[in-house]
Amino acid sequence: MQILLKSATIVSENSPFNGQEKDILIDNGVITSIAGSIAPGNATVIEGKGLHVSGGWMDVFAHFCDPGQEYKEDLQSGALAAAAGGYTAVMIVPNTQPALHTKTQIAYVHSTAAHNAAEVLPIGAITKNLEGTSLAEMYEMKEAGAVAFSDGLKPVQSSGLMLKALQYVKAFDGAVIQIPDDATISGHGLMHEGIHSTRLGMPGKPAIAEEIMLKRDLDLLEYTGSRLHVTAVSTAGSIRLIADAKARGLRVTCSVTPYHLLFTDADMASYDSFLKVNPPLRTQEDVDALRAAVADGTVDCIATHHQPQDWDAKQVEFEYAKPGMIGLETAFAALRTALPQLSTAQLVKLLSDNPRRIFGQSLAPVAEGAVANLTVFEPATEYTISDDRFQSKSRNTPFLGKTAKGSVTGIIRQNKSWFRS
């Protein structure tokens, strides 16, 4: 199989052609030629308006619901959604039924998803059955191919267990991923606690529920000297805590979601259940702090927190609606909207280079002789987000019908590819 990318601007720090517009020929999964003009021959030609190519993007937190809730998403549909969003690799949370808490479950993900265009990388559970009472067999899962460890959508509440987890993974330089959320404070809330929750008469989730848990985890990190990745950071206070921890040399990294960069608690006035997420949408001041932290490098990467829900889970009273939105296929456009000042090089660092470095995945150079691991995209293309663009089984997104800027053309990973028709 041959694929020829025509007149594509290369965005790759490690490439001698970085910043240049070139033709790129991929033959059986290997970049064989990069030149000013290459004859198509028998190759499938990919062209576009303002076509760009970078090393393959990688998401660090998505839910594919498989096994157990395949009617929302499965490993095949999730991988297609990832490819449609420009991701050649996606890390999936262990909140399945049964949970990804044994080497057998990790092996199931690898074997089932082996032939997808996008690589699916399982995150192993920290605790058995995600119950938060005893540690799972993390080393066995690591040997079976778990890329990191987390209880995913159920943050570890026990300080003792979190301490043990950080100590355990240190032996093999593993990473723990945590959403900072003290459930004893936020458990009954429906949205951010503030003036808008008061006006709408909804119980709130205060910022302190996030920040107090983050303080605890950073203290445990300092004590153990291990590695921690904090995801779905949503408050200005959390950003300050992380910046301070980094300045003190702690091995902490963090990610934000695209929707926390776009929406605020004021948008909840419509009671749109698609905006019911956890952590909740915060204030405009928090959004401004997150955007600044992305721009200045305090935030290391973007996590989509792709969380599919079926129609019945969202089309109910707000109180009973399940949290989360799908995000893989809208992440790039959301970032271009929220942070138009970022260059394509900065976006590629957030989407590809940084997450791969953090979680020990090989970087994907755009260079002759390299195995293809490429994302092809058009950062200036505008379009309307319509139902037919989605590969996910679910449609729980507030972006339908919205005008977006920044389109993904497709991906190439080894001898597999997916391109938008």
Side-chain angles (χ1 to χ4, degrees):
M1 180 183 71
Q2 289 187 329
I3 297 174
L4 178 62
L5 305 178
K6 292 293 290 182
S7 301
T9 299
I10 296 170
V11 188
S12 175
E13 280 188 349
N14 298 325
S15 172
F17 304 102
N18 185 32
Q20 300 179 38
E21 186 179 291
K22 296 289 183 180
D23 287 3
I24 303 171
L25 181 65
I26 298 97
D27 189 353
N28 287 322
V30 176
I31 301 172
T32 56
S33 181
I34 300 176
S37 181
I38 299 174
N42 295 322
T44 299
V45 177
I46 305 297
E47 297 179 287
K49 184 179 179 181
L51 204 67
H52 285 59
V53 61
S54 73
W57 302 347
M58 175 173 156
D59 185 30
V60 301
F61 200 97
H63 193 10
F64 282 0
C65 311
D66 182 355
Q69 293 184 309
E70 291 89 346
Y71 61 94
K72 296 182 180 182
E73 198 81 282
D74 60 38
L75 292 169
Q76 284 71 39
S77 66
L80 280 172
Y87 293 94
T88 63
V90 55
M91 294 166 57
I92 61 169
V93 295
N95 304 86
T96 50
Q97 299 171 356
L100 305 183
H101 69 130
T102 68
K103 63 181 180 181
T104 302
Q105 293 300 326
I106 299 299
Y108 163 79
V109 172
H110 280 296
S111 61
T112 306
H115 301 293
N116 295 323
E119 184 178 16
V120 181
L121 302 169
I123 300 169
I126 291 174
T127 66
K128 293 179 181 178
N129 294 312
L130 303 173
E131 292 172 351
T133 56
S134 59
L135 287 184
E137 294 294 339
M138 290 190 283
Y139 184 76
E140 288 187 355
M141 286 189 284
K142 182 255 183 187
E143 290 294 289
V147 70
F149 298 92
S150 174
D151 274 3
L153 304 173
K154 297 178 65 177
V156 176
Q157 300 296 304
S158 165
S159 299
L161 274 176
M162 190 64 170
L163 172 64
K164 289 179 181 178
L166 288 166
Q167 290 174 325
Y168 196 104
V169 300
K170 189 179 178 182
F172 50 84
D173 198 32
V176 167
I177 302 174
Q178 174 91 316
I179 298 174
D181 182 26
D182 188 325
T184 64
I185 297 175
S186 68
H188 299 291
L190 297 176
M191 63 176 290
H192 173 71
E193 182 183 86
I195 187 171
H196 294 289
S197 65
T198 303
R199 286 174 176 169
L200 297 173
M202 287 200 281
K205 296 187 175 189
I208 196 172
E210 175 173 320
E211 292 160 14
I212 199 169
M213 182 64 83
L214 179 56
K215 288 177 184 176
R216 182 206 73 173
D217 289 346
L218 291 173
D219 285 344
L220 294 174
L221 180 65
E222 185 170 28
Y223 178 75
T224 60
S226 191
R227 286 207 297 139
L228 174 68
H229 182 80
V230 185
T231 190
V233 177
S234 69
T235 76
S238 292
I239 289 295
R240 288 191 293 270
L241 288 169
I242 291 168
D244 175 69
K246 287 187 171 188
R248 291 187 286 120
L250 272 61
R251 302 176 71 195
V252 61
T253 52
C254 71
S255 52
V256 299
T257 76
Y259 54 80
H260 281 116
L261 295 170
L262 268 183
F263 300 106
T264 73
D265 59 342
D267 295 310
M268 304 300 293
S270 63
Y271 293 96
D272 184 354
S273 64
F274 289 156
L275 295 177
K276 186 178 181 181
V277 291
N278 191 44
L281 303 176
R282 303 291 188 182
T283 67
Q284 185 63 57
E285 290 76 15
D286 292 315
V287 171
D288 291 342
L290 294 180
R291 290 176 176 176
V294 173
D296 69 21
T298 301
V299 170
D300 298 277
C301 60
I302 303 300
T304 67
H305 282 240
H306 177 84
Q307 189 174 353
Q309 298 288 2
D310 62 300
W311 190 91
D312 289 339
K314 285 293 189 180
Q315 299 304 319
V316 294
E317 293 90 342
F318 192 89
E319 178 183 357
Y320 302 110
K322 299 292 185 184
M325 68 174 74
I326 57 172
L328 284 165
E329 294 162 276
T330 55
F332 183 57
L335 283 177
R336 293 280 288 126
T337 302
L339 296 162
Q341 74 274 24
L342 293 190
S343 67
T344 53
Q346 287 174 299
L347 290 171
V348 167
K349 280 187 178 181
L350 290 164
L351 293 167
S352 178
D353 298 350
N354 289 352
R356 289 180 179 279
R357 287 192 184 100
I358 292 167
F359 294 103
Q361 302 300 300
S362 59
L363 297 180
V366 184
E368 291 181 342
V371 175
N373 192 331
L374 307 173
T375 297
V376 186
F377 58 103
E378 299 173 21
T381 295
E382 293 189 357
Y383 62 98
T384 299
I385 298 176
S386 56
D387 186 79
D388 59 4
R389 289 184 68 91
F390 288 98
Q391 300 295 315
S392 173
K393 287 184 177 182
S394 295
R395 295 294 185 272
N396 53 308
T397 173
F399 291 104
L400 273 172
K402 299 291 195 297
T403 299
K405 185 176 183 179
S407 177
V408 171
T409 305
I411 66 167
I412 306 169
R413 185 177 70 87
Q414 299 172 359
N415 59 353
K416 306 176 186 71
S417 65
W418 182 95
F419 285 96
R420 192 173 300 282
S421 58

